[in-house]
């Protein structure tokens, strides 16, 4: 159930960040969903890493989830501090590189359609983080493309599966 909860808010923040990148939401207004989503992800991290059921697998998952939490809180900080985001761009490269072995491990160990779907999500998220690196750290003119990929990634890797998991449909 925690996965559905987390994905639901990942979907919300990515969808809204996509709209923000399109200029449809103001810089200061986007802070709220990034803080909320960052805190939701941080709660999942704390439970997985330090909760009573913590295991090597949940601690690994918590470390990976912390990349999401850090990203959302960093976006919120950047909007409040009115900085250019280059630091977040370089962090995004670190995350994008990290998603490669995560994707490969997930593909190699996939035992179900859900496992395969989650592996593909890691690939999509890695591509998205790499786009943030190109946009923020290197200043590549891909804002429009990044906005659309962010919005669509939010719907298809976050909101929709999160909603379905929370509703017990998958």
């Amino acid at each position: 159930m925690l996965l559905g909860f987390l994905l639901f808010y990942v979907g919300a923040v990515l969808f809204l960040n996509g709209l923000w990148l399109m200029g449809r939401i103001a810089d200061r207004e986007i802070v709220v969903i990034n803080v909320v989503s960052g805190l939701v992800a941080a709660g999942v991290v704390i439970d997985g890493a330090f909760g009573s059921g913590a295991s090597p697998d949940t601690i690994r998952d918590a470390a990976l989830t912390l990349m999401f939490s850090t990203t959302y809180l960093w976006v919120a900080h950047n909007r409040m501090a009115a900085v250019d985001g280059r630091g977040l761009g370089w962090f995004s490269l670190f995350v994008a590189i990290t998603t490669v072995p995560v994707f490969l491990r997930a593909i190699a160990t996939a035992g179900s359609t859900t496992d395969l779907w989650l592996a593909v999500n890691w690939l999509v998220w890695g591509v998205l983080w790499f786009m943030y690196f190109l946009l923020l750290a290197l200043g590549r003119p891909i804002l429009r493309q990044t906005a659309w990929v962010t919005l669509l990634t939010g719907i298809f890797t976050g909101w929709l599966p999160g909603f379905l998991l929370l509703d017990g449909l998958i």
Side-chain angles (χ1 to χ4, degrees):
M1 192 58 83
L2 266 182
L3 179 59
F5 181 63
L6 177 61
L7 287 175
F8 187 79
Y9 279 90
V10 166
V13 74
L14 290 177
F15 177 80
L16 292 170
N17 280 345
L19 291 174
W20 164 66
L21 289 169
M22 292 176 188
R24 301 214 169 135
I25 298 174
D27 278 358
R28 289 194 180 261
E29 193 172 8
I30 201 64
V31 169
V32 174
I33 191 62
N34 279 279
V35 168
V36 168
S37 298
L39 292 175
V40 165
V44 171
V45 167
I46 290 167
D47 181 67
F50 306 107
S52 61
S55 69
D57 287 341
T58 65
I59 292 169
R60 182 194 65 234
D61 293 345
L64 297 173
T65 301
L66 189 54
M67 296 186 305
F68 289 86
S69 181
T70 302
T71 299
Y72 306 142
L73 294 173
W74 204 325
V75 169
H77 164 74
N78 285 356
R79 298 301 35 102
M80 293 304 294
V83 296
D84 65 12
R86 281 182 291 168
L88 177 57
W90 285 104
F91 175 72
S92 296
L93 176 62
F94 165 80
V95 177
I97 292 168
T98 302
T99 64
V100 173
V102 174
F103 164 71
L104 293 173
R105 184 192 70 235
I107 283 289
T109 61
S112 68
T113 304
T114 302
D115 292 342
L116 186 58
W117 165 82
L118 191 54
V120 171
N121 280 356
W122 278 107
L123 178 63
V124 171
W125 294 327
V127 167
L128 183 59
W129 263 304
F130 189 70
M131 291 179 78
Y132 294 140
F133 163 69
L134 294 173
L135 178 69
L136 298 171
L138 300 184
R140 298 289 195 264
I142 59 167
L143 179 61
R144 180 177 164 80
Q145 297 89 333
T146 304
W148 276 105
V149 172
T150 301
L151 187 141
L152 294 171
T153 298
I155 293 169
F156 293 108
T157 71
W159 173 77
L160 186 57
F163 183 80
L164 294 173
L165 282 164
L166 287 173
D167 231 18
L169 298 172
I170 58 171

